[in-house]
Amino acid sequence: MAESLGFERLSLSERTSPSEIEVKNLTQPASVKFIADSNLMIIMRGVPGTGKSTIVNYLMESLSTDCLCSADNFFIRNGKYVFDKTQIKQAHTFCQQKAEKFCTEGHSVVIIDNTNVMRWETDFYVDLAYKHGYVVVMITPLAQDTASPRTLAQRNKHNVSADIIKSRLSAFQSIQPSYFAWFLSKRSAMKLMDIRDQALEKLRQKGYARTRFSSPRNTILHVTSKYLGQSKNANQLLQQLSTHIGSIGAIKVTSVVVTKRTIAARVCLDKASQEYYFNDMEGFSGNKPAVPRGLKEGFAAHITLGVANGIEPKEARSDTIQSHFCELQAAPLKDGPVHYYPDEELAIINLDKPTAFQCIFAAAYR
């Protein structure tokens, strides 16, 4: 597997890394179709000789993109690689400027092909991606963990020695995501924001809505699967959830919840997606916690659509959960699709019919 890097024949064995599974997920027909209508930044990580270029070439062909940013390309002169260590800073500036150009122009897929050994080396690209509404996928080849420095030295095309590679391997930093989520495409996000505006207008017409909401800044609309934070079992969750990165999930928005603090879309996940949704209750410790009686698994699934001044977006989760308990425990004032709970100052605006969206599953690093 690691020797051939034949992703078109990739099988999920005990020696398959999460990142190789990500490559397979990203190049499935449903993912390719979704990505063509979305924005995705792929950030490669790995020391020389691990096979990054092989993966990149495969992804570029599969995803029909030529938006490649690599510091190595700065050193290509007349078709030949001529490295000059005194110009490393200029090479990375060249790479960053190229990435910024591609993102500003809104290309569907932008690939960053550098070693990115240290976390700070990815920071510019992650910030750039989120500024322009790109989902980020980081890929590290399997050979990073399985091949010896000597083997990697023999494989790499720039004659980097085994001693240098060994040093880079020792310095290599793992990067833990902040959370995992299903991310909407820009077109779907625009459609959902229209649904939000229509719901708010219905509330205003009934005299309920007075709060002014602002949209979450530099955040791609998403349904959080699991916030890692300081989870004691973060490594277990990371391994479990990383295998789904790049896969496409289906969600349905059924209603909009409005309080003084937040506005959120309530979401139903498809059965497959529920298998890796862990955000209903706090304290996940290996097995999913019990769902309260009267509620279905995935009841806390939501998309934050706006917050009042001074309110954190995460509060939309609490308000979404509260909306379900209101339905179980209280009688609303009903006015067509608007159900208002005066004690909680909470309104639920039910859609005429659920609206379906496709989303891509990925990690978030901010």
Side-chain angles (χ1 to χ4, degrees), residues 95-156:
C95 185
Q96 291 175 357
Q97 290 174 342
K98 196 171 183 181
E100 189 153 21
K101 177 178 180 293
F102 287 145
C103 290
T104 301
E105 293 173 349
H107 293 273
S108 298
V109 182
V110 177
I111 301 177
I112 313 300
D113 183 17
N114 294 323
T115 55
N116 291 310
V117 168
M118 310 293 285
R119 182 187 179 109
W120 67 263
E121 294 175 286
T122 68
D123 285 345
F124 172 87
Y125 299 105
V126 172
D127 290 341
L128 178 68
Y130 293 152
K131 176 183 176 182
H132 291 279
Y134 280 71
V135 174
V136 173
V137 171
M138 293 191 187
I139 295 178
T140 305
L142 174 62
Q144 172 80 17
D145 297 321
T146 59
S148 68
R150 181 179 178 181
T151 299
L152 296 175
Q154 293 171 344
R155 287 182 184 174
N156 84 86

Side-chain angles (χ1 to χ4, degrees), residues 37-39 103 106 132-134 184-191 220:
D37 190 39
S38 190
N39 294 107
C103 290
H132 291 279
Y134 280 71
L184 275 68
S185 68
K186 280 188 175 180
R187 183 180 299 181
S188 293
M190 291 174 63
K191 182 177 180 180
I220 307 166

Side-chain angles (χ1 to χ4, degrees), residues 193 196 211-217 261 263 304-311:
M193 293 305 279
R196 180 199 78 159
T211 303
R212 298 180 68 88
F213 296 100
S214 59
S215 301
R217 295 182 178 179
R261 307 188 309 163
I263 178 169
T304 303
L305 301 178
V307 292
N309 186 39
I311 301 299

Side-chain angles (χ1 to χ4, degrees), residues 310-360:
I311 301 299
E312 292 291 327
K314 64 182 180 180
E315 297 302 330
R317 177 179 179 275
S318 299
D319 288 347
T320 300
I321 292 174
Q322 185 62 41
S323 73
H324 287 287
F325 284 110
C326 282
E327 288 182 319
L328 288 175
Q329 300 170 356
L333 301 175
K334 295 184 179 181
D335 193 341
V338 177
H339 292 188
Y340 184 68
Y341 296 85
D343 290 345
E344 300 294 337
E345 295 186 280
L346 181 150
I348 301 171
I349 304 92
N350 295 298
L351 305 189
D352 293 336
K353 62 179 180 179
T355 302
F357 297 96
Q358 283 194 320
C359 305
I360 189 166

Side-chain angles (χ1 to χ4, degrees), residues 286-307:
N287 295 309
K288 291 189 179 184
V291 173
R293 181 175 296 178
L295 297 177
K296 295 181 179 179
E297 187 170 352
F299 70 91
H302 70 281
I303 300 171
T304 303
L305 301 178
V307 292

